[in-house]
Amino acid sequence: QVQLVESGGGLVQTGGSLRLSCATSGTPLVADVMGWYRQFPGKERDLVAIISGAGARNYADSVKGRFTISGGNVKNSVFLQMDNLKIEDTAVYYCTARIGSVATGIENYWGQGTQVTVSS
């Protein structure tokens, strides 16, 4: 059973930094894409940043220049360095990984989410 576990959320003041981590277990396969989404109350999940196995990165416009996504040295891990945090970054952040093969099928897996709260 594939599981994603996020850590690193919490409470921080405006302008501060947090680093989110995500680790995957339960599969011998390597994710070809991993990323972070966030969800505001009453809204759908929105893309924050994704990274491919080849290292290509894509960011939401609202976080460009402030957030950095990176892949970990450990297989199927991903990090999100969040700097210069703003109140509007307050949300639940979810890690996602696309894992599978033609033979087994490809699925998107999600973590449970970690709360990030930015206060003034």
Side-chain angles (χ1 to χ4, degrees), residues 71-85:
N73 292 326
V74 176
K75 185 187 74 174
N76 293 348
S77 62
V78 66
F79 305 97
L80 185 68
Q81 178 66 38
M82 304 186 293
D83 298 318
N84 191 21
L85 281 160

Side-chain angles (χ1 to χ4, degrees), residues 11-53:
L11 175 64
V12 65
Q13 290 188 323
T14 301
S17 298
L18 284 175
R19 181 176 171 84
L20 304 184
S21 301
C22 175
T24 307
S25 62
T27 177
L29 301 175
V30 177
D32 65 342
V33 177
M34 294 193 73
W36 294 92
Y37 282 66
R38 64 186 179 186
Q39 188 169 22
F40 303 110
K43 303 291 186 180
E44 296 184 353
R45 291 181 193 179
D46 294 325
L47 173 70
V48 176
I50 56 173
I51 183 169
S52 72

Side-chain angles (χ1 to χ4, degrees), residues 74-109:
V74 176
K75 185 187 74 174
N76 293 348
S77 62
V78 66
F79 305 97
L80 185 68
Q81 178 66 38
M82 304 186 293
D83 298 318
N84 191 21
L85 281 160
K86 303 177 180 180
I87 290 176
E88 52 263 42
D89 293 318
T90 296
V92 178
Y93 285 70
Y94 295 90
C95 175
T96 184
R98 190 172 73 188
I99 300 173
S101 67
V102 173
T104 65
I106 297 174
E107 291 192 43
N108 290 310
Y109 296 91

